[in-house]
Amino acid sequence: VFHSYPLVGGVYIQDKFEKEFIIINAGVRAEWCYLGKKVDEGSWKSQWEKATGLKANWNSFKYRIAPRFGISFPIQEETVLFFSYGHFYQLPEMQYFYRDPFSGGLTGNPDLDYELTITYEFGVTHQLSDDLVIDVKSYAKDISEQVGQTTLQSASGTPVTIWDNKSYGRARGLEFELNKDFSNNYSFKLTYTLQWANGYAASAFDDYVRSQNDFPYPIRERRMNWDVRHEIIFQGTLASPKGQPFNLFGLELPDDWGLTVLSNFNSGYAYTPGTNDPAERQKLENVATGPVGLNTDIKFYKGFSIGDINLKVTLDVFNVFDVRNVNLYYGFNPWTGQPFKYGDLVDDTHKYHNWYSAFYKRDPRQYMSGRYAKLGIKLDF
């Protein structure tokens, strides 16, 4: 039975082949989507053709087949080479399909296809000890069929914008990971990533912004908003399982507790430096790097047994060092590369912002969340 509302689903099959000299993981996933009867109604199709000047010859049932493949070669008892390849499909937001063609200006496109990401990984894993492993890998992600916008002339001659699979992007990088399994009451993972991320547009609305400023469509890749050149992540856990107390520097600690620290450092996100020249802004898009970011969270739990009741108390502290991480999207001054403050000049002039202007630009969201904590209690009986 076909419904008027969308139906989305998927199914996958995976298998593993293992010998002493080779390990193969292979699978395939099928994605499907039915948009419903609304976009196949005669009045809807007719109006869409009038609004866009195109033929409404889409198929409301869409599907894609996504293969995934991984292979590894144990070249020594402690060392393994590995390679993986996979296709990953993402259905665009439903608004991009269904925005009605009756209001004009911007309309949906039921002929949109899935966005596709193709990933590649190649690396080596080496076991340093019984519980310590190091991974070194290179990776690539090719992103195509991303949703963007295309402006057309309608049958009446007025411009109309539709969603289109026109955008693309890619990421390349190296990743180094040192991983210690839980033993002797602690574990940790330390990861360093070096990455380059380029593409056509950072969001589906970039083409609209360009059109409002008479910017031409780009003909080359540029750095993406989410590009971070360097990132270091540390996650460490110190724990004493129930019934297994341990000594720390000669001090016997109670059992049934755990402490996890998650810390992240990044070298800053891309942004466009300030300019009043639209053509120059097009050339300078995302060539600058914002301030570095640092965040550390701590999560602690302690369990208690009271008769037949198990009580667990949890404490989560976020941004424990209360670092003022800059938010590039609110209250950020692209002329100085720092958050707006009193005493900043107006663009590239010698005139200062007055108090009201500076107060308005110093958006409270110009910094990410400061330190805050959550206390929780869990009862099992």
Side-chain angles (χ1 to χ4, degrees), residues 290-323:
V292 301
L294 176 64
N295 186 75
T296 301
D297 301 332
I298 293 179
K299 299 191 176 189
F300 175 80
Y301 79 87
K302 177 68 177 78
F304 302 91
S305 294
I306 306 174
D308 294 330
I309 299 177
N310 292 319
L311 171 68
K312 179 180 286 187
V313 178
T314 63
L315 176 64
D316 297 345
V317 183
F318 301 91
N319 193 4
V320 64
F321 298 115
D322 202 23
V323 178

Side-chain angles (χ1 to χ4, degrees), residues 270-288:
Y271 76 92
T272 302
T275 177
N276 289 317
D277 184 343
E280 188 71 12
R281 180 178 176 82
Q282 182 81 347
K283 293 189 294 184
L284 294 177
E285 185 175 349
N286 286 343
V287 300

Side-chain angles (χ1 to χ4, degrees), residues 206-360:
D206 275 9
D207 286 325
Y208 174 78
V209 175
R210 292 175 180 130
S211 69
Q212 296 302 298
N213 293 277
D214 284 332
F215 288 168
Y217 290 142
I219 58 174
R220 60 178 176 82
E221 295 181 0
R222 71 273 322 285
R223 193 178 174 193
M224 294 289 93
N225 295 353
W226 43 272
D227 179 44
V228 176
R229 188 70 68 246
H230 305 278
E231 185 173 39
I232 299 174
I233 300 175
F234 172 80
Q235 179 176 330
T237 298
L238 182 66
S240 178
K242 189 173 183 179
Q244 301 179 36
F246 74 100
N247 291 317
L248 182 63
F249 306 121
L251 177 65
E252 184 171 327
L253 300 177
D255 65 346
D256 199 9
W257 62 272
L259 176 68
T260 297
V261 177
L262 177 61
S263 188
N264 175 286
F265 166 83
N266 68 72
S267 59
Y269 289 84
Y271 76 92
T272 302
T275 177
N276 289 317
D277 184 343
E280 188 71 12
R281 180 178 176 82
Q282 182 81 347
K283 293 189 294 184
L284 294 177
E285 185 175 349
N286 286 343
V287 300
T289 301
V292 301
L294 176 64
N295 186 75
T296 301
D297 301 332
I298 293 179
K299 299 191 176 189
F300 175 80
Y301 79 87
K302 177 68 177 78
F304 302 91
S305 294
I306 306 174
D308 294 330
I309 299 177
N310 292 319
L311 171 68
K312 179 180 286 187
V313 178
T314 63
L315 176 64
D316 297 345
V317 183
F318 301 91
N319 193 4
V320 64
F321 298 115
D322 202 23
V323 178
R324 302 181 78 191
N325 290 303
V326 175
N327 186 345
L328 296 182
Y329 299 100
Y330 299 98
F332 181 77
N333 188 346
W335 297 87
T336 65
Q338 297 291 331
F340 274 104
K341 62 182 184 299
Y342 293 114
D344 279 353
L345 298 175
V346 177
D347 298 345
D348 57 348
T349 70
H350 297 289
K351 179 182 177 181
Y352 292 103
H353 284 283
N354 59 38
W355 182 90
Y356 179 82
S357 174
F359 179 81
Y360 175 79

